[in-house]
Amino acid sequence: FYWDTVTPTSVACPFGGSLSFEPSDSGEAFTFTNCAFSDGFVMTGEGSYDYETYMFTINVTVSGLASGTLTYTRDTDYNLSVTGEYDGATVDLSE
């Protein structure tokens, strides 16, 4: 939470794996490597936060209790969505 936005940093996720973050040309870049914030929901993929558009996006492949691919977005107006596929079902959670 208190990252200096300059130093590439990697932290352990509570149930295994890691989350890394570093500066990018447009803001911040995130990498999830077998990262589990909850037991049985393991994420591998990438994300970004663009300082000019305020767009925050995460694209992950999920494994553990079920598998799938999910995309999380938060746009400039703070509209949230999660789309993709999980456990064979289509996911479309949008505000």
Side-chain angles (χ1 to χ4, degrees):
F1 183 79
Y2 295 106
W3 178 49
D4 66 12
T5 69
V6 176
T7 308
T9 303
S10 184
V11 296
C13 299
F15 289 87
S18 64
L19 168 59
S20 301
F21 31 101
E22 62 187 356
S24 71
D25 291 340
S26 61
E28 301 170 13
F30 307 92
T31 302
F32 298 84
T33 306
N34 296 317
C35 177
F37 287 101
S38 60
D39 193 20
F41 193 84
V42 181
M43 299 178 289
T44 298
E46 298 179 342
S48 64
Y49 177 61
D50 186 307
Y51 291 162
E52 288 188 28
T53 65
Y54 303 108
M55 180 68 90
F56 180 70
T57 304
I58 298 172
N59 297 295
V60 293
T61 299
V62 180
S63 61
L65 297 175
S67 61
T69 55
L70 298 171
T71 298
Y72 168 90
T73 60
R74 187 196 72 209
D75 69 17
T76 188
D77 296 321
Y78 292 92
N79 296 306
L80 306 174
S81 72
V82 177
T83 58
E85 179 270 327
Y86 183 70
D87 198 22
T90 299
V91 174
D92 188 357
L93 306 171
S94 302
E95 278 189 0

